[in-house]
Amino acid sequence: LVMDWGLAKLVGNADRPGSATVRSVKQDEGESFSTMAGSIMGTPHYMAPEQAAGDLDAIDPRSDIFALGAILFHLLALRTPVSGASAVEIIEKITHGQITPPVTPPKSEPVQPRHCPGGRIPESLAAVAMKALALAQADRYQSVPELQKELTQYQTGFATRAERAGLRKRLMLLLKRNRHVSLAIVLVTLLFAVGFGVVQFRQFQGRVAEHDRLAKTAEAAAKQDEWDTAIARLSKAQAVLERPDARPRLVTFLVAGAKADIDGKRWGAAAIKLQEVLRIDQGNADAANLMPWALGEGFVSVATPFAGELVELFAGEKPELRTRSHGVLPVKELRLREGVHQFEIHREGRRWCSLPLEIERGGRVKISIPITEIPAGYEYVHEGDFIQGDEGTTQADGFIGKRKRRLAGFFIRSTVVTGAEYFRFRQSPDYARLITEALQADKLTVADIQPGAKSAQDLQVFKDTARNSELLPARALSLYESMAFAKWAGARLPTEEEFEKAARGIDGRIFSAGNESPKLAENWMTQPLSRDRSQVSPYGCWALTDTLWLWTSSRIEPGAPRWVVKGGTGIGLVVDRKPARRKALDPKAKYFLVSALFCKDLPPAP
């Protein structure tokens, strides 16, 4: 029971409607805890801020709410909301809202709230007290019934509005209000959890047994090199019971199975196994090394004495089918699909040389170009293997069977020699000496050279075109004239193998430009040579297999009197234009449809 009627505000004077006065019936200014008379009236510890500030017009029922909040605060914390050495200090704190919420003090404090439930100040009631003690009147409870409702909420086990309780606390209060129901729920949940745990444990034991059985059968299959069965059973064991410690064994099975698939050329199956290995173990070195085999890929590296030049990559038989531009030299471990790929090295914005390279499954091709300059009018043919001959034909038909040969690098002319070039050789003072030297190697003289022209008119056509053309091929050259001509030009005739590699590349293609049968070319006897109308080889040589027959430095057989010519004519049989076609001629004869092609050796290594 709280009673202090020393101060009251009369609201609504009957004589003066709307007026309000404050009357003190108790004046004791000697104590700081007594009601104060004057502009500031009330007991300092319980005064509302507007009352402490002397704003009598602002005093209303909400000021009493503040006082009730102060009483609740005192009941909870066993102390007043504010304290001070004097009434002035207390009023100063109240007017500035300097009130600390009531909390349970540490056990070291002498005053403990043992009167509170569990010896702790309830947070709900502390929140109610602080809302009633709000500095602004609008933030307090607006009436006593509203405050009473909050206290009833607490007493009946509900959350108060002041504490802004979350879902967790509301749920805990719900369970507390319904203890018997909550206990039943807990017991049912506990029984269900125990039963579920027992079932789960038995199922786990069953999975362990099934896993061990499958793992044993997988090991048995592995001992028999039945890798697909071993992988399937161990994978199923992992699906039954995931065991991280079993993954390395599964990786071992997958790698071994992939190797067996690669040996059996089951490329797709190997790729699937290796992809699974890399999914489990991204850094697996065995899988990384085997994957190119499974995917049909290989690696190529290209090094030159110079760097930074453009390298372009082509695919297929036709250079215009560019697949991508690789970048600049050097090329380091470029990964490509198996097959023949065409590289072009550009210097100063122009094609410098072409490199047809064959990528084998899982292989590594390393090309090292030892030169920095290519003679004008020549192409560079790099060292390496190529396919010589033609399958399904015989030497009697003018062919030899396919075989792989390896040649050193060399230079070869982009096209055949021209009539004008040969005419200058004929006019040189070295002509007779060089012809004699070439003939003496076979103990022959100039008189042994046989005219090959069919008529004087044919000879006259040859003389006229040779004398006036830089683009028409030289014709009616004997082998010895061709040898002498090449020596005069600082070159030599190509071997049969060198011609074939330069003309068809390395992949054994049927014709110089690919496997499609070429159309008949124009008559080179009357029309200038043209790269656009010619068969262009992978090395950039043109008009080698559709102009005239060309002498080589190879005999048709060791010790035979006849020598090999290659190339065919544009107006002749298509079969003659196959680079693998070989024809034997008398070296002393001057055949009207025979010309020459020059080669040069690479400079010695520095």
Side-chain angles (χ1 to χ4, degrees):
L1 177 62
V2 180
M3 294 185 65
D4 184 1
W5 305 116
L7 184 66
K9 178 177 181 180
L10 302 180
V11 180
N13 192 314
D15 299 330
R16 289 182 298 169
S19 65
T21 60
V22 177
R23 299 178 182 176
S24 176
V25 295
K26 175 180 170 182
Q27 297 183 5
D28 188 355
E29 299 179 4
E31 299 181 14
S32 62
F33 304 121
S34 303
T35 300
M36 300 174 62
S39 60
I40 300 177
M41 304 180 203
T43 305
H45 293 88
Y46 297 93
M47 280 195 294
E50 62 274 13
Q51 186 179 356
D55 187 0
L56 301 183
D57 292 335
I59 295 174
D60 62 16
R62 292 175 294 185
S63 303
D64 293 333
I65 296 296
F66 187 94
L68 290 174
I71 294 172
L72 178 59
F73 188 107
H74 201 154
L75 290 174
L76 295 173
L78 303 180
R79 61 179 175 83
T80 56
V82 293
S83 60
S86 65
V88 175
E89 182 182 353
I90 293 172
I91 291 173
E92 179 72 17
K93 290 182 178 180
I94 289 175
T95 55
H96 288 84
Q98 297 177 5
I99 301 175
T100 303
V103 294
T104 302
K107 292 183 178 181
S108 59
E109 293 290 331
V111 179
Q112 293 292 322
R114 297 182 179 88
H115 61 297
C116 292
R120 299 184 62 83
I121 297 176
E123 295 180 0
S124 302
L125 291 181
V128 172
M130 291 306 295
K131 181 174 178 62
L133 293 170
L135 178 64
Q137 289 173 284
D139 294 336
R140 303 173 201 159
Y141 295 105
Q142 300 301 298
S143 66
V144 172
E146 186 179 353
L147 173 60
Q148 283 180 312
K149 184 178 179 181
E150 286 279 81
L151 297 178
T152 303
Q153 285 286 99
Y154 168 74
Q155 289 175 319
T156 55
F158 289 89
T160 62
R161 185 163 54 91
E163 63 183 307
R164 298 179 181 179
L167 179 62
R168 179 175 176 274
K169 183 167 185 179
R170 292 178 185 275
L171 181 60
M172 294 301 295
L173 291 174
L174 174 64
L175 294 176
K176 190 175 181 180
R177 292 195 305 270
N178 302 275
R179 292 182 179 179
H180 298 295
V181 177
S182 301
L183 181 60
I185 293 174
V186 170
L187 289 175
V188 171
T189 303
L190 182 60
L191 290 174
F192 177 78
V194 170
F196 181 76
V198 170
V199 173
Q200 287 292 98
F201 178 72
R202 290 179 178 177
Q203 290 180 349
F204 175 75
Q205 286 182 317
R207 290 199 300 271
V208 170
E210 179 66 5
H211 175 279
D212 293 344
R213 185 187 68 80
L214 290 170
K216 288 180 181 179
T217 58
E219 292 291 344
K223 291 179 180 179
Q224 301 297 324
D225 291 337
E226 298 174 358
W227 297 111
D228 286 343
T229 302
I231 292 167
R233 290 178 180 173
L234 192 56
S235 298
K236 188 175 180 180
Q238 286 288 89
V240 170
L241 180 63
E242 177 65 26
R243 283 188 172 178
D245 58 329
R247 289 183 181 179
R249 192 61 177 159
L250 179 58
V251 168
T252 300
F253 284 3
L254 288 167
V255 171
K259 289 180 179 178
D261 287 335
I262 289 173
D263 292 340
K265 296 184 178 180
R266 297 182 294 273
W267 312 118
I272 292 173
K273 291 181 177 67
L274 294 173
Q275 286 173 351
E276 180 64 12
V277 171
L278 294 175
R279 185 189 68 81
I280 298 173
D281 180 10
Q282 294 182 354
N284 189 279
D286 290 334
N289 292 331
L290 291 173
M291 187 61 83
W293 285 92
L295 298 180
E297 296 177 338
F299 301 88
V300 63
S301 301
V302 180
T304 62
F306 45 85
E309 301 293 348
L310 177 65
V311 181
E312 288 189 331
L313 175 63
F314 300 83
E317 298 175 352
K318 298 180 179 180
E320 61 267 20
L321 299 178
R322 181 181 283 105
T323 56
R324 58 176 150 165
S325 178
H326 171 65
V328 296
L329 288 169
V331 177
K332 294 183 178 179
E333 290 285 300
L334 179 63
R335 188 167 173 173
L336 299 171
R337 293 285 298 177
E338 65 177 332
V340 175
H341 298 266
Q342 186 87 3
F343 285 81
E344 278 191 4
I345 297 177
H346 292 247
R347 300 189 69 182
E348 298 178 355
R350 302 178 61 184
R351 186 188 72 88
W352 188 68
C353 76
S354 298
L355 297 174
L357 303 177
E358 183 175 12
I359 307 299
E360 296 181 349
R361 185 182 292 267
R364 279 178 162 78
V365 178
K366 294 184 178 181
I367 298 296
S368 180
I369 299 178
I371 58 171
T372 57
E373 298 295 335
I374 299 176
Y378 282 76
E379 303 292 343
Y380 169 67
V381 180
H382 67 283
E383 178 182 4
D385 297 334
F386 80 104
I387 298 175
Q388 181 186 11
D390 192 6
E391 204 67 65
T393 55
T394 65
Q395 187 167 343
D397 301 323
F399 294 90
I400 57 175
K402 281 189 177 180
R403 56 184 177 176
K404 183 168 282 191
R405 298 293 301 273
R406 186 172 186 84
L407 292 180
F410 60 94
F411 298 121
I412 191 166
R413 273 186 60 123
S414 302
T415 189
V416 299
V417 297
T418 65
E421 290 174 317
Y422 180 67
F423 183 77
R424 287 193 289 272
F425 168 58
R426 288 287 299 267
Q427 300 299 315
S428 73
D430 299 322
Y431 174 77
R433 176 180 60 81
L434 293 174
I435 289 290
T436 301
E437 290 177 359
L439 290 167
Q440 284 177 348
D442 286 340
K443 299 179 180 180
L444 299 174
T445 64
V446 176
D448 294 315
I449 301 298
Q450 303 171 8
K454 297 179 179 179
S455 65
Q457 184 177 3
D458 290 338
L459 286 174
Q460 187 60 44
V461 170
F462 161 67
K463 292 177 181 179
D464 292 342
T465 56
R467 191 175 292 115
N468 299 315
S469 175
E470 293 284 351
L471 297 177
L472 293 177
R475 290 183 293 278
L477 302 183
S478 69
L479 172 66
Y480 300 105
E481 288 177 303
S482 300
M483 288 181 172
F485 185 12
K487 191 172 183 178
W488 179 76
R492 60 175 175 82
L493 298 182
T495 65
E496 176 184 1
E497 293 81 7
E498 287 174 331
F499 177 93
E500 191 167 339
K501 182 176 182 180
R504 74 190 301 197
I506 62 175
D507 56 359
R509 59 182 58 192
I510 299 175
F511 298 98
S512 188
N515 293 317
E516 296 181 5
S517 180
K519 298 178 181 179
L520 293 178
E522 297 185 34
N523 189 344
W524 300 119
M525 298 179 188
T526 58
Q527 297 293 330
L529 294 169
S530 171
R531 181 185 178 94
D532 295 334
R533 298 195 301 268
S534 301
Q535 291 269 297
V536 180
S537 82
Y539 287 102
C541 300
W542 50 283
L544 301 190
T545 58
D546 50 12
T547 52
L548 300 172
W549 291 98
L550 305 173
W551 286 110
T552 71
S553 61
S554 301
R555 296 178 186 268
I556 194 68
E557 292 179 5
R562 295 190 301 167
W563 296 66
V564 176
V565 292
K566 307 276 279 185
T569 64
I571 59 176
L573 297 174
V574 172
V575 70
D576 288 342
R577 298 167 66 186
K578 295 182 177 181
R581 180 83 157 97
R582 56 204 307 263
K583 189 174 181 178
L585 294 180
D586 183 351
K588 301 186 298 298
K590 295 170 65 70
Y591 298 96
F592 190 61
L593 295 179
V594 177
S595 186
L597 179 69
F598 295 164
C599 273
K600 289 185 177 183
D601 294 323
L602 301 184

